[in-house]
Amino acid sequence: GLLRRMRDLLEATSDATTKVVAAPVGSLPPRCLELQVDVKAWTARYGLADRRADRCGALDGAPAVLLLRTRDLFSLPFPLTRPVLASLSLQAAVRGWRFLLLPAAFPLALRPPPSPHGQWKAQNSLEKQRRTLLEQFGVKLEVLPDGRQRWHGCAKDTPRCFGTIHAQTPQYLLAGRWTPPCCLRALRATARHVLAELEAAGVRYWLEGGSLLGAVRLGDIIPWDYDVDLGLYREDVPKCRWLAAVLSSGRPVEDPEGFLWEKAAEGEFFRVHFSRANRLHVDLWPFYVRPGGVMTKDTWLGHRQDVEFPESFLVPLVSVAFAGVAAKAPNDPRAFLELKFGPGAIENPEYPNPGVRRLAQDV
């Protein structure tokens, strides 16, 4: 009888977004949640639904019987992926579908209580299924209704979430996505660490290129960027103990917090990695003054922002917000950025290589 009622409600509903009718199994109903999946940002955000509402954006926490049309189920890219409730909730959220949750419940079959070992095995199996599901769906961060965060991406002891950069374009941009949030978190941590070390050593440094653009626009790393760039005076390099150690040994040096300092293989500059395993990094570009008061360097990679500039931009340096801390920047950021990127660089964001992919394709 309950199954027939579910079918009648599904056929009679006038709300085009209500695609699934659900009924609890047993006395404990699933939680009715709101869910927003930001595909570009690899993030799922859960919120508590109105207690008086019977329509949910997602169901969680307890078993339920779900009824939906066959054509709707098999229009999903992963129709039968387990755990089913979490899988359908995530895919429904992307399409704007709603669940109609009934108060009536199906009976829960009586069975002997599981042993502690059986409970452990069942919980482990469910967690493994969920991790596999989130990896398959490309969800790196879950924000729970109480504000807590569950991370599923890279960490200090794992590789980063993307491979080699080709033509200044990482894999995720080609897929229409932005930098995974776990990678941004690692970049921020690395940037804050490097900035603190340079400040403590009295090294004159400044935000360069896209990192300065992010600071001026957002006070943070650009959401699709994959590294952080800093310029510094070449004569100040030995003041930083880690850079001095790299110069003296000729080998990478790992500091007590697990960040790896090294000379870049591509030329005369330095690179600080999040860890030995995770190669998210900050690039340090040594500049020096040539006759005429112009800042130059010994390695140019052919990027648009790779141009010489007057030292007057650095005398004095100013502070700007970046990645949660105050960082040093040229004293006229707008003029500095327009010299490097052209007029309107701040107001007109674009991907690093528009010839490969343009921002307009993804917004």
Side-chain angles (χ1 to χ4, degrees):
L2 179 53
L3 194 59
R4 283 198 299 271
R5 183 182 168 204
M6 292 171 70
R7 181 201 63 194
D8 293 344
L9 285 169
L10 185 63
E11 292 179 345
T13 183
S14 58
D15 180 3
T17 65
T18 301
K19 298 287 190 178
V20 187
V21 176
V25 176
S27 58
L28 182 66
R31 288 194 302 168
C32 189
L33 301 172
E34 295 300 334
L35 174 58
Q36 292 181 329
V37 178
D38 188 337
V39 175
K40 274 209 306 283
W42 312 73
T43 300
R45 296 181 181 277
Y46 296 89
L48 294 175
D50 187 335
R51 291 184 179 181
R52 297 166 296 177
D54 56 3
R55 281 169 173 77
C56 316
L59 297 174
D60 180 61
V65 171
L66 308 178
L67 184 69
L68 68 162
R69 294 177 176 85
T70 306
R71 66 172 181 268
D72 289 334
L73 175 65
F74 287 101
S75 73
L76 299 173
F78 307 100
L80 301 176
T81 302
R82 300 174 69 184
V84 173
L85 203 57
S87 171
L88 288 183
S89 292
L90 286 165
Q91 294 177 87
V94 172
R95 297 193 174 200
W97 293 0
R98 309 286 289 173
F99 293 79
L100 173 59
L101 180 61
L102 304 185
F106 286 94
L108 184 65
L110 296 176
R111 64 187 69 182
S115 66
H117 181 67
Q119 284 183 319
W120 176 82
K121 284 182 64 177
Q123 185 63 30
N124 267 16
S125 175
L126 184 62
E127 287 177 2
K128 184 177 179 182
Q129 285 180 357
R130 187 175 180 83
R131 283 195 303 271
T132 302
L133 170 73
L134 293 172
E135 182 179 346
Q136 186 175 20
F137 285 8
V139 174
K140 306 288 187 183
L141 172 61
E142 290 181 292
V143 182
L144 305 181
D146 60 4
R148 287 184 299 118
Q149 297 179 338
R150 281 200 300 235
W151 294 88
H152 306 284
C154 63
K156 200 89 169 171
D157 58 349
T158 70
R160 69 186 186 187
C161 296
F162 55 94
T164 303
I165 311 297
H166 296 288
Q168 302 179 60
T169 307
Q171 297 163 322
Y172 53 79
L173 281 186
L174 295 175
R177 310 184 84 166
W178 288 354
T179 313
C182 48
C183 296
L184 286 173
R185 179 175 66 160
L187 276 176
R188 290 188 189 104
T190 308
R192 289 193 292 265
H193 180 72
V194 172
L195 293 174
E197 291 290 336
L198 297 180
E199 293 272 6
V203 173
R204 292 168 293 173
Y205 76 87
W206 59 94
L207 293 171
E208 267 285 341
S211 300
L212 180 60
L213 268 175
V216 172
R217 285 183 192 146
L218 310 165
D220 201 358
I221 298 168
I222 291 174
W224 53 82
D225 212 348
Y226 48 83
D227 64 6
V228 171
D229 288 307
L230 300 177
L232 69 162
Y233 277 85
R234 187 174 66 179
E235 64 204 70
D236 287 1
V237 167
K239 293 181 180 179
C240 174
R241 55 179 171 164
W242 308 115
L243 295 177
V246 170
L247 286 174
S248 64
S249 69
R251 297 189 302 273
V253 174
E254 186 174 358
D255 69 27
E257 295 184 49
F259 296 90
L260 189 71
W261 302 65
E262 69 174 11
K263 174 96 165 28
E266 299 94 322
E268 297 302 313
F269 64 101
F270 300 92
R271 187 163 276 165
V272 186
H273 299 277
F274 185 46
S275 69
R276 286 187 181 274
N278 192 322
R279 309 299 275 185
L280 288 157
H281 59 263
V282 173
D283 283 335
L284 301 171
W285 300 92
F287 282 81
Y288 56 93
V289 188
R290 68 170 176 80
V294 172
M295 299 298 292
T296 190
K297 59 180 179 174
D298 289 336
T299 296
W300 304 89
L301 299 183
H303 298 165
R304 185 180 180 186
Q305 66 268 29
D306 257 358
V307 296
E308 297 178 341
F309 58 90
E311 188 186 15
S312 58
F313 278 114
L314 309 179
V315 184
L317 292 164
V318 298
S319 288
V320 295
F322 182 70
V325 295
K328 293 293 192 297
N331 51 54
D332 189 345
R334 175 177 292 277
F336 187 82
L337 289 168
E338 293 195 344
L339 172 68
K340 296 207 164 211
F341 293 100
I346 296 172
E347 293 80 11
N348 301 301
E350 186 51 272
Y351 287 156
N353 190 345
V356 175
R357 189 172 185 90
R358 300 191 65 89
L359 176 60
Q361 295 174 252
D362 299 324
V363 297

